[in-house]
């Protein structure tokens, strides 16, 4: 879920144009400035396709906001029916170096549990992305280990090609990530996750899936492929609202799972 | 036949052309086999057992489906001894090792204390970080690990052995990793990495990739050793036998060219050398050597000082050896092709490749070797040494012995075959791939250590399929799987099982504050699904698919013998058949496929052998134009093969993929010797008119090449006894033993049988010239077809006379009669000094019938022109009556008619 939230945040990079000089700092600033204070996705859909071609779809709603620069996000499942009302809450910790707190609510057990530890490297809902993968993009992109490799055209649009080498001590599964950032929207359009010199996973979207909510750009559709496992997950986002006032209870561990 | 004859003549008269042709094909073959630059061989080795099964095989399809859905089940198992294990420092070392292994190209996953989450429930908190993460965060947490692991059915005995000082890492490989594993020596790399990081001096590795890599290495080592060894033996044998460096060189070149062509064919057909077809190269070399020895034996019988003599000799040798070589090659190929109905593509590939190899050998030995010998000016003088005389003396003694003890020898053979076949019916089928490594081999030792400490090192899987989405979240079905797992745990072969049900129960317990009462399957399908989706993580994906319609139960078994695995599979399959719908179960995994393969090879063995025997018998019957002669000719080959199977039973050696090839190979080789003997015997019998003399003469000719061939083959095969793989050692010993038996049979039984056989070869039938329409122009042959007329002629003796020679002398006692094939003769008597001609006889006339009926010859018969006669006596006619009764009846009728006409004429003259 955090992956989805983070991807949405990536997608919400504002339409701050790339008129500045092409430096890592300028690109970084462009992307950072695009993150809205809050957002609400009325409907998202994750369609996971396994090796045999079988698909499984999960749909839900997502609310997220930045609280003193820290991410708070809540997701509630609406489909399929046997998963309805299952909910996740992620709260980034204020303390330096401390992991995020994750709360999960399972309606069938009627229990809320705070989950800590190594969930960040695990597959999210049977999809092809882990929280760590996305975190590598977002945080590395906003961090200082970026290298501007080149610029090139992606689908006929100019794009910056950035590379980043995540810190292996942070438990990163990939030793290098290459990202293609659309110069017009400052949106991540493509990312290759490399391990031992080979691309293991790939995120890809298209300019035709770029949309705007107010001043903010976001991507309505993207696909993550696990090239090793030959599986993929298609993400669709519809009706995204940015800078919307969101109720506090949505991010309260004691109440996030109640009602809508 | 004309085209073949022309080819032989071309090779004899224009040897350079033949050499150039062979050179051209060899260059093409070389470029097919080796990739330039670098001379990288294109012919690959594939030691895996799963690929031995056909693509459409149901078991293989299940295996592929499981690999596709759940990833590679054939992980490398690494065991590291750390005493004491549970210290923060050692946890950090395991974490570093896990990280470093994950960075190795081709490594997909590493399951270890560094990646396995240690789920801890405390109130409303759920801690899901790994053991090593927890140790890094809180060093005191390490003290609780032994207890936590002991309480966790998924990790207990899997991540840490019961002794508490061995930890295991399961290293999953992708396709790249599988191919890199042997090439980059990952076994060594992994071990060195583990030793360096952990400081442990006891790092063990097991699992299919390790065994496959070691097997491939051993196979390559065997090839690297055995092929040069066989060559060495061949060089030695050829030098000893023919005392000619050039002859040795020519034979070696010929065999090498055949090997190169065979390898090129394998590449072009897309074959790789597998556990079965790996035998092909030594086989082609040894058979080639056998054929070359037969040809060289004839070649060195006469010297040739100039080009014309050399060509004449080449023609003579090709013509003489050609018959035997065609027959031998055809029967060997028939023996190999009899393996074609086998269900396993690997066996079929072996059959095709070996047959093609033999065909190449046939062409090269017959056409290329004499041409090469000619160009090299080989064999100018006849070399008859003392050894040759000694061999002749030995051959004569053996022949006399065989003739004298003919009946007992044949009876012993007739008793041995059914007795040994009865013994063979109880041979078990199976192999143990680990125990096929010699004792003390690191692969075997480490496997056995891991097998003991971790309660099983062989991993099989039970796949549960429903074809219904979310079916595996139905509590009733989940309990059914749980019961199946409990049943599996009770089986004596099983050390450990893991399924998604274990994960589910653990998750349920963890989300209920660690209460042991919740270590159970939830009653609600929704709860099951939510637990699996939200809390499952990556571990769940390896045991249940994303749509919850198929799942995997991983089963560690402690046995490696295919016979024991077969019994286990049978019990599991019976239990799986009792699963409630819509659950469908199947057992799979590399050990299962290997077992199926071994069983398929064993079961196919008898059918293949039966087909081989029938095919060889049919060919022999066709070649010798008699079903009975075919059967007798087959007997000397059945004896060693049946004794071989009887020996297997007596020594309690199971039939395995390697030793199951011995029967076909020996049959192929032994038939060659039988055919060589019988064709020579046939020629000599026709020439001398005496079966006993023919046996002696044929044995004189064949004893040396047969013995040399056997010695060379046995020594070559014994080279395999140096292999690290016991199966190959066993193969070398058993094949040598069986070839030795075949040699004994060839020296004892074949001559004993030959002494009572007058065979007519197809070759003779096709070549025999009886003039224009003998059935219409020779009254004795009236009513017969051309083939039948030739059969009669071949069962008789064809004799040639020059003009003026006496054929029959008046007053002699002789019991044979003649029919004139061509030429003119005079019948005359002496009246004082006068010679009175009574009659002139020509083609078709019958003469000498008085002698046939036991009277003295009443007149002389001399040839006027060059004459060819068919001579036969009552024994020939009796043999004809037994073997070809219809032909005999017609000949008797015609003889009767001839006699009646003669009587009528005599009566008319008297009147």
């Amino acid at each position: 879920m955090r992956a989805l939230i983070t991807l949405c945040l990536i997608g919400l990079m504002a339409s701050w144009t790339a008129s500045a000089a092409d430096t890592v700092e300028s690109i970084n600033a462009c992307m950072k400035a695009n993150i809205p204070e809050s957002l609400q996705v009325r409907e998202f859909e994750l369609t996971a396709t396994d090796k045999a071609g079988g698909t499984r779809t999960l749909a839900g709603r997502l609310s997220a906001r930045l609280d003193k620069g820290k991410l708070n996000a809540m997701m509630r499942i609406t489909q399929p029916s046997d998963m309805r009302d299952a909910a996740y809450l992620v709260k980034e910790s204020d303390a330096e170096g401390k992991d995020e707190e994750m709360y999960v609510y399972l309606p069938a057990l009627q229990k809320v549990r705070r989950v800590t530890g190594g969930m960040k490297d695990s597959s999210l809902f049977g999809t092809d992305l882990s929280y760590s993968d996305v975190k590598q993009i977002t945080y590395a992109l906003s961090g200082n280990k970026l290298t501007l490799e080149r610029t090139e055209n992606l689908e006929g649009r100019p794009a910056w090609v950035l590379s980043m080498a995540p810190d292996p001590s942070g438990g990163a599964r990939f030793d290098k990530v290459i990202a293609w950032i659309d110069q017009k929207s400052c949106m991540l359009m493509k990312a290759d996750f490399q391990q031992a010199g080979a691309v293991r996973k790939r995120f890809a979207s298209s300019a035709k899936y770029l949309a705007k909510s107010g001043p903010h750009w976001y991507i309505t559709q993207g696909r993550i492929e696990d090239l090793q496992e030959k599986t993929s997950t298609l993400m669709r986002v519809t009706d995204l609202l940015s800078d919307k006032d969101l109720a506090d209870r949505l991010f309260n561990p004691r109440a996030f799972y109640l009602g809508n | 036949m004309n085209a073949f004859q022309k080819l032989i003549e071309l090779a004899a008269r224009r040897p350079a052309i033949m050499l150039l042709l062979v050179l051209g094909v060899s260059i093409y073959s070389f470029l097919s086999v080796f990739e330039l630059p670098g001379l990288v061989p294109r012919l690959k080795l594939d030691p895996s057992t799963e690929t031995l099964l056909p693509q459409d095989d149901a078991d293989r399809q299940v295996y592929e489906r499981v690999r596709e859905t759940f990833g590679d089940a054939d992980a490398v198992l690494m065991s590291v001894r750390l005493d004491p294990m549970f210290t923060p420092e050692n946890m950090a070392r395991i974490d570093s090792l896990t990280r470093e292994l994950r960075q190795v190209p081709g490594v997909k996953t590493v399951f270890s204390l560094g990646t396995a989450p240690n789920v801890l429930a405390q109130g409303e908190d759920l801690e899901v970080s790994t053991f090593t993460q927890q140790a890094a965060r809180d060093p005191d947490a390490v003290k609780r690990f032994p207890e936590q692991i002991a309480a966790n059915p998924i990790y207990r005995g899997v991540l840490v052995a019961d002794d508490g000082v061995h930890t295991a890492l399961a290293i999953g490989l992708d396709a790249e990793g599988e191919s890199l594993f042997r090439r980059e020596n990952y076994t060594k790399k992994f071990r060195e990495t583990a030793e360096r990081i952990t400081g442990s001096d006891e790092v063990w590795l097991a699992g299919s990739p390790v065994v496959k890599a070691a097997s491939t290495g051993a196979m390559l080592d065997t090839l690297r050793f055995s092929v040069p060894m066989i060559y060495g033996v061949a060089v030695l044998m050829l030098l000893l036998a023919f005392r000619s460096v050039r002859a040795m060189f020519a034979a070696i070149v010929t065999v090498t060219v055949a090997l190169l062509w065979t390898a090129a064919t394998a590449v072009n057909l897309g074959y790789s050398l597998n556990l079965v077809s790996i035998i092909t190269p030594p086989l082609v070399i040894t058979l080639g050597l056998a054929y070359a020895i037969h040809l060289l034996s004839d070649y060195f019988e006469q010297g040739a000082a100039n080009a014309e003599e050399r060509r004449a000799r080449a023609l003579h040798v090709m013509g003489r050896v050609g018959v035997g070589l065609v027959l031998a090659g055809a029967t060997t190929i028939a023996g190999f092709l009899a393996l074609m109905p086998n269900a396993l593509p690997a066996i079929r590939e072996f059959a095709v490749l070996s047959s093609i190899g033999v065909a190449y050998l046939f062409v090269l030995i017959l056409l290329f070797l004499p041409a090469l010998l000619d160009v090299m000016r080989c064999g100018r003088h006849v070399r008859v040494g003392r050894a040759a005389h000694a061999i002749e003396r030995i051959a004569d003694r053996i022949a006399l012995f065989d003739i004298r003890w003919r009946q007992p020898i044949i009876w012993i053979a007739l008793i041995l075959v059914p007795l040994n076949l009865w013994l063979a019916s109880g041979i078990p089928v199976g192999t143990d791939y680990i125990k096929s490594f010699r004792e003390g081999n690191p692969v075997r030792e480490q496997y056995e250590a891991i097998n003991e400490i971790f309660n099983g090192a062989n991993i099989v899987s039970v796949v549960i399929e429903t074809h219904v989405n979310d079916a595996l979240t139905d509590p009733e079905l989940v309990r059914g799987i749980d019961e199946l797992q409990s049943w599996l745990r009770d089986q004596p072969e099983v050390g450990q099982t893991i399924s998604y049900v274990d994960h589910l129960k653990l998750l349920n317990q963890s989300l209920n504050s660690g209460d042991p009462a919740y270590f159970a399957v939830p009653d609600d399908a929704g709860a099951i699904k939510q637990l699996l989706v939200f809390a499952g993580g990556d571990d769940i994906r390896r045991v249940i698919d994303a749509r919850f319609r198929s799942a995997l139960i991983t089963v560690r078994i402690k046995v490696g013998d295919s016979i024991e695995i077969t019994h286990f599979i049978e019990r599991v399959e019976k239990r799986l058949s009792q699963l409630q719908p819509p659950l469908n179960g199947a057992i799979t995994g590399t050990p299962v496929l290997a077992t199926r393969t071994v069983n398929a090879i064993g079961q196919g063995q008898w059918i293949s052998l039966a087909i081989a025997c029938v095919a060889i018998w049919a060919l022999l019957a066709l070649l010798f134009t008699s079903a009975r002669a075919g059967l007798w000719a087959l007997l000397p080959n059945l004896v060693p093969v049946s004794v071989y199977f009887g020996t297997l039973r007596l020594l309690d050696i199971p039939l395995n993929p390697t030793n199951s090839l011995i029967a076909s190979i020996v049959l192929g080789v032994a038939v060659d010797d039988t055919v060589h003997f019988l064709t020579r015997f046939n020629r000599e019998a026709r020439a001398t008119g005496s079966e006993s003399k023919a046996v002696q003469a044929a044995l004189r000719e064949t004893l040396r090449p047969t013995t040399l061939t056997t010695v060379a083959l046995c020594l070559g095969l014994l080279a395999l006894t140096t292999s690290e793989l016991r199966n190959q050692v066993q193969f070398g010993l058993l094949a040598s033993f069986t070839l030795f038996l075949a040699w004994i049979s060839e020296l004892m039984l074949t001559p004993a049988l030959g002494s009572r056989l007058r065979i007519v070869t197809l070759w003779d039938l096709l070549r025999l010239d009886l003039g224009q329409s003998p059935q219409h122009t020779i009254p004795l042959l009236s009513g017969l077809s051309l083939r039948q007329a030739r059969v009669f002629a071949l069962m008789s003796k064809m004799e040639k006379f020059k003009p003026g020679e006496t054929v029959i002398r008046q007053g002699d006692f002789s019991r044979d009669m003649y029919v004139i094939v061509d030429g003119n003769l005079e019948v005359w008597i002496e009246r004082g000094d006068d010679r009175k001609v009574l009659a002139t006889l020509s083609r078709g006339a019958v003469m000498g019938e008085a002698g046939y009926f036991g009277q003295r010859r009443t007149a002389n018969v001399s040839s006027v022109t060059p004459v060819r006669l068919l001579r036969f006596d009552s024994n020939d006619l009796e043999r004809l009556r037994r073997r070809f009764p219809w032909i005999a009846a017609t000949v008797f009728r015609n003889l009767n008619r001839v006699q009646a006409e003669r009587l009528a004429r005599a009566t008319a003259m008297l009147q």
Side-chain angles (χ1 to χ4, degrees), chain A residues 2-250:
Chain A
R2 281 182 292 187
L4 181 75
I5 296 162
T6 317
L7 276 174
C8 288
L9 290 176
I10 297 165
L12 281 169
M13 292 165 183
S15 58
W16 189 82
T17 54
S19 55
D22 292 351
T23 64
V24 170
E25 290 72 26
S26 67
I27 298 163
N28 202 9
C30 169
M31 290 156 60
K32 267 188 171 176
N34 289 338
I35 300 172
E37 283 300 309
S38 66
L39 69 90
Q40 189 168 55
V41 176
R42 287 200 197 279
E43 189 177 301
F44 70 82
E45 196 177 271
L46 296 174
T47 304
T49 305
D50 62 24
K51 290 173 191 171
T55 58
R56 203 182 55 146
T57 301
L58 204 74
R61 292 177 179 177
L62 172 76
S63 303
R65 76 177 180 194
L66 288 172
D67 186 6
K68 295 174 190 166
K70 300 295 174 188
L71 176 66
N72 284 247
M74 194 278 287
M75 185 179 72
R76 184 187 300 282
I77 302 296
T78 55
Q79 289 291 337
S81 56
D82 50 11
M83 304 280 289
R84 183 188 293 273
D85 293 335
Y88 254 124
L89 171 65
V90 177
K91 286 173 80 71
E92 275 192 339
S93 172
D94 292 337
E96 189 68 29
K98 197 177 173 193
D99 274 351
E100 304 81 359
E101 284 184 344
M102 179 184 278
Y103 296 85
V104 60
Y105 170 68
L106 301 185
L109 300 180
Q110 293 189 321
K111 289 187 192 303
V112 176
R113 288 291 178 266
R114 189 176 73 138
V115 183
T116 55
M119 289 293 280
K120 63 182 181 180
D121 277 330
S122 292
S123 155
L124 287 159
F125 327 126
T127 67
D128 296 282
L129 209 68
S130 71
Y131 178 67
S132 285
D133 299 340
V134 181
K135 193 177 168 186
Q136 277 189 23
I137 301 173
T138 53
Y139 285 79
L141 282 173
S142 58
N144 56 5
K145 291 182 179 177
L146 284 167
T147 306
L148 177 59
E149 298 282 346
R150 60 188 181 275
T151 57
E152 66 177 42
N153 277 348
L154 194 67
E155 289 185 74
R157 292 163 68 100
W160 292 299
V161 181
L162 303 176
S163 72
M164 61 215 78
D167 181 6
S169 63
R173 283 197 296 180
F174 302 104
D175 45 33
K176 192 174 184 183
V177 181
I178 309 281
W180 282 257
I181 311 294
D182 180 49
Q183 290 189 1
K184 186 179 176 189
S185 60
C186 287
M187 292 292 299
L188 176 83
M189 302 306 291
K190 184 180 166 188
D192 281 353
F193 299 77
Q194 296 184 357
Q195 187 186 7
V199 179
R200 299 296 185 191
K201 281 188 181 177
R202 173 168 290 153
F203 165 77
S205 184
S206 170
K208 66 184 173 188
Y209 297 126
L210 282 170
K212 260 186 161 182
S213 169
H216 305 296
W217 286 98
Y218 67 99
I219 293 170
T220 58
Q221 187 170 311
R223 181 183 294 277
I224 298 162
E225 283 179 278
D226 187 324
L227 302 174
Q228 203 172 19
E229 296 287 346
K230 310 260 188 313
T231 57
S232 66
T233 300
L234 181 69
M235 300 184 304
R236 285 201 192 93
V237 172
T238 52
D239 204 4
L240 184 144
L241 301 171
S242 60
D243 293 331
K244 187 177 183 300
D245 283 338
L246 297 170
D248 287 347
R249 70 168 180 81
L250 292 174

Side-chain angles (χ1 to χ4, degrees), chain A residues 48 50-56 58 75 77 80 82-84 86-88 99 103-109 111-129 168-173 175 195-196 198 200 226 228-231 254, chain B residues 66-72 99 102-109 121 123-130 133 137 173-174 176 469-470 473 507-508 510-513 518 522 524-531 533-539 541 545-549:
Chain A
D50 62 24
K51 290 173 191 171
T55 58
R56 203 182 55 146
L58 204 74
M75 185 179 72
I77 302 296
D82 50 11
M83 304 280 289
R84 183 188 293 273
Y88 254 124
D99 274 351
Y103 296 85
V104 60
Y105 170 68
L106 301 185
L109 300 180
K111 289 187 192 303
V112 176
R113 288 291 178 266
R114 189 176 73 138
V115 183
T116 55
M119 289 293 280
K120 63 182 181 180
D121 277 330
S122 292
S123 155
L124 287 159
F125 327 126
T127 67
D128 296 282
L129 209 68
S169 63
R173 283 197 296 180
D175 45 33
Q195 187 186 7
R200 299 296 185 191
D226 187 324
Q228 203 172 19
E229 296 287 346
K230 310 260 188 313
T231 57
R254 304 226 167 261
Chain B
V66 167
R67 276 183 71 136
E68 188 71 22
T69 310
F70 300 105
D72 189 3
R99 283 175 197 281
R102 277 163 59 164
Q103 293 303 314
V104 176
V107 170
K108 195 166 75 174
T109 57
E124 292 189 351
D125 285 355
L126 205 60
E127 161 74 63
V128 293
S129 55
T130 67
Q133 284 169 338
R137 213 166 33 236
L173 305 169
D174 58 16
E176 182 198 4
N469 282 356
D470 294 332
T473 59
L507 287 170
N508 194 27
S510 302
L511 279 162
N512 285 285
S513 307
Y518 285 91
D524 176 47
I528 293 173
K529 189 168 178 182
Q530 287 170 27
L531 280 170
V533 170
F534 280 89
D538 283 340
D539 295 340
R541 295 179 89 187
D545 77 322
R547 287 180 286 170
F548 306 116
R549 50 196 281 163

Side-chain angles (χ1 to χ4, degrees), chain B residues 75-98:
Chain B
V76 177
L77 296 176
M78 176 189 277
S79 163
V80 181
R81 181 187 166 89
L82 294 167
D83 193 7
M85 163 82 63
F86 295 105
T87 64
E89 295 76 23
N90 280 341
M91 289 300 114
R93 288 183 184 115
I94 292 169
D95 191 49
S96 298
L97 175 60
T98 304

Side-chain angles (χ1 to χ4, degrees), chain B residues 594-611:
Chain B
T595 301
R596 304 269 199 220
T597 308
V598 169
N599 292 345
I601 289 172
Q603 283 151 10
Q605 165 80 181
W606 305 115
I607 297 167
S608 295
L609 205 60
I611 294 171

Side-chain angles (χ1 to χ4, degrees), chain B residues 778-784 788-789 792 795-796 815 817 819 846 849 852-853 872-901:
Chain B
I778 300 175
L780 189 69
L781 306 180
S782 173
L784 298 177
Q788 289 165 336
F792 169 75
M795 294 298 286
S796 311
R815 289 192 167 274
M817 59 195 294
V819 61
V846 175
E849 61 273 26
Y852 179 80
F853 291 110
F872 55 95
D873 58 16
S874 55
N875 287 335
D876 294 326
L877 289 178
E878 177 57 18
R879 203 178 294 119
L880 186 71
R881 188 189 65 76
R882 276 193 274 113
R883 297 256 318 266
F884 304 100
W886 198 90
I887 299 176
T890 308
V891 170
F892 280 125
R893 184 202 67 189
N894 292 341
L895 192 60
N896 208 26
R897 190 177 287 164
V898 169
Q899 289 299 311
E901 282 174 3

Side-chain angles (χ1 to χ4, degrees), chain B residues 151-216:
Chain B
N152 188 320
I154 299 173
Y155 301 154
R156 187 174 56 225
V158 175
L159 282 176
V160 178
D162 293 340
D163 63 9
V165 293
H166 287 93
T167 183
L169 296 93
I171 306 161
L173 305 169
D174 58 16
E176 182 198 4
E178 284 176 2
S179 69
L180 284 174
F181 197 85
R182 198 192 69 79
R183 213 172 348 131
E184 301 288 325
N185 199 354
Y186 272 12
T187 305
K188 188 180 172 200
K189 189 173 186 171
F190 286 175
R191 180 179 298 108
E192 287 177 352
T193 304
E195 285 170 352
R196 175 171 47 80
I197 292 175
T198 64
S200 172
D201 56 359
E202 198 175 285
V203 177
W204 297 327
L205 287 160
S208 289
V210 177
V211 176
K212 277 182 197 171
S215 300
T216 309

